[in-house]
Amino acid sequence: MTDDPFVTHRSLLFTVAYEMLGSAADAEDVLQESWLRWSAVDRAEVRDERAYLVRIVTRQALNQLRTMSRRRESYVGEWLPEPLLTSPDVAEDVELAESVSIAMLTVLETLGPTERAVFVLREVFDVSYDEIADAVGKTPAAVRQIAHRAKSHVAARRPRVAVDRAEQEAVVARFVAAINSGDLRGLMDVLAPDVVSVADGGGFVKGAARHPIRGADKLARYLVGGLAKLGLPFEARPTWVNGQLAIRGEVDGALAGAICFEIEGGRITRIYSIANPYKLGRMDEEAELAR
């Protein structure tokens, strides 16, 4: 046991950094830098330790976001967030699960750094406008305007349909059965006609699509054909990724990718496939997330 507030709130601080960055590796870097700054603080001057720590992490994450935006300009293919293995319990907190879903983090990528920070702190962690203003270096009035603009932006792009767990499990089970057996017809039946698939191989995965694939027929044939060309056994297994039921893909018994879905009307409307090997380091140990 420890009475260090940083350790006490570490899961919360990691979640704040991860939601702002979409990268567990970068979130850990932010926490490391934040710890160094916290260790130099005179604790007697800190009234609200949790708020103070969130402010430190937010500032470091903003610095990291600006660095990352430059780095992504040279990224090969589509960029998707780094997937996290999560326990089924995360899904029980509906708001947390939605906020860390690959679908939501992908939407947050369309916000500017300050807008993203404001949205995450306000909508996910219910931080006051005054505290957010202190963290991002804006006035409370400006933060209110940014929050309103960011919320409208996200609302126009986020998945609109809530899917209950039974439907989610049924759809994922159908996809798993079809992909494992190479059932082209079964795949087409579980995919919405206008399905969109986005893959992130980072330039490291042979055959990974560098642009979105659209349409059930085209996507089903791409998946079945691509797996047939592997020449190695492939297995898809249900797992929990970022608070959502998803798939762990293995080639010859080794982790090859995480596949997440958006579902509507009993069919898959969008697929996110993360196969960049440098993004799969958090798929073997459950992440500790908290609000």
Side-chain angles (χ1 to χ4, degrees):
M1 296 293 290
T2 178
D3 58 359
D4 187 335
F6 191 96
V7 176
T8 301
H9 296 298
R10 193 183 192 286
S11 294
L12 163 72
L13 300 175
F14 174 81
T15 308
V16 170
Y18 174 71
E19 290 201 28
M20 284 184 61
L21 300 169
S23 164
D26 287 305
E28 290 290 0
D29 287 345
V30 161
L31 259 61
Q32 181 64 30
E33 184 62 34
S34 299
W35 160 251
L36 292 174
R37 292 174 184 271
W38 170 248
S39 63
V41 168
D42 180 357
R43 312 288 171 84
E45 300 297 319
V46 179
R47 291 193 301 275
D48 185 334
E49 293 163 336
R50 180 181 184 275
Y52 194 95
L53 286 166
V54 168
R55 184 162 70 245
I56 293 176
V57 167
T58 298
R59 288 173 177 169
Q60 297 308 310
L62 274 172
N63 292 337
Q64 190 79 345
L65 262 180
R66 291 167 184 134
T67 300
M68 290 169 66
S69 63
R70 293 192 294 271
R71 199 166 70 207
R72 288 182 196 164
E73 290 174 2
S74 59
Y75 196 80
V76 177
E78 299 287 327
W79 190 96
L80 289 174
E82 185 177 344
L84 301 177
L85 179 67
T86 52
S87 73
D89 294 343
V90 173
E92 299 298 330
D93 184 337
V94 176
E95 290 185 4
L96 176 61
E98 182 186 11
S99 72
V100 298
S101 70
I102 296 295
M104 175 59 83
L105 293 175
T106 303
V107 171
L108 294 184
E109 286 295 313
T110 63
L111 293 172
T114 301
E115 286 181 317
R116 184 167 182 167
V118 169
F119 179 86
V120 167
L121 293 176
R122 184 61 188 168
E123 295 299 319
V124 181
F125 299 98
D126 198 30
V127 178
S128 72
Y129 290 114
D130 286 346
E131 288 180 74
I132 297 173
D134 195 22
V136 302
K138 303 283 185 181
T139 66
V143 165
R144 285 178 182 275
Q145 290 182 328
I146 293 169
H148 177 75
R149 186 168 65 244
K151 187 175 181 178
S152 298
H153 178 98
V154 171
R157 292 163 176 80
R158 74 200 304 177
R160 294 178 174 80
V161 180
V163 180
D164 65 42
R165 183 177 290 193
E167 180 183 355
Q168 195 177 44
E169 289 176 347
V171 171
V172 171
R174 288 169 60 200
F175 183 91
V176 166
I179 200 76
N180 281 340
S181 62
D183 180 0
L184 184 65
R185 183 72 257 173
L187 271 178
M188 290 180 64
D189 286 345
V190 78
L191 299 174
D194 57 350
V195 64
V196 177
S197 174
V198 181
D200 178 349
F204 301 103
V205 181
K206 185 179 179 180
R210 295 191 177 184
H211 303 284
I213 298 174
R214 303 175 187 276
D217 181 72
K218 185 176 181 180
L219 178 57
R221 293 181 188 280
Y222 170 82
L223 291 173
V224 171
L227 293 176
K229 291 177 184 176
L230 282 175
L232 294 168
F234 173 85
E235 183 183 11
R237 295 193 287 114
T239 189
W240 290 91
V241 175
N242 289 60
Q244 309 287 324
L245 189 60
I247 286 175
R248 175 189 176 94
E250 295 184 353
V251 174
D252 201 22
L255 175 63
I259 306 170
C260 303
F261 307 99
E262 290 180 32
I263 295 168
E264 183 177 345
R267 286 186 168 184
I268 295 167
T269 58
R270 200 169 186 92
I271 296 177
Y272 303 94
S273 303
I274 303 103
N276 181 340
Y278 295 100
K279 291 188 176 183
L280 299 177
R282 292 304 188 100
M283 284 296 295
D284 289 317
E285 183 178 352
E286 288 182 0
E288 295 184 11
L289 305 176
R291 284 198 298 154

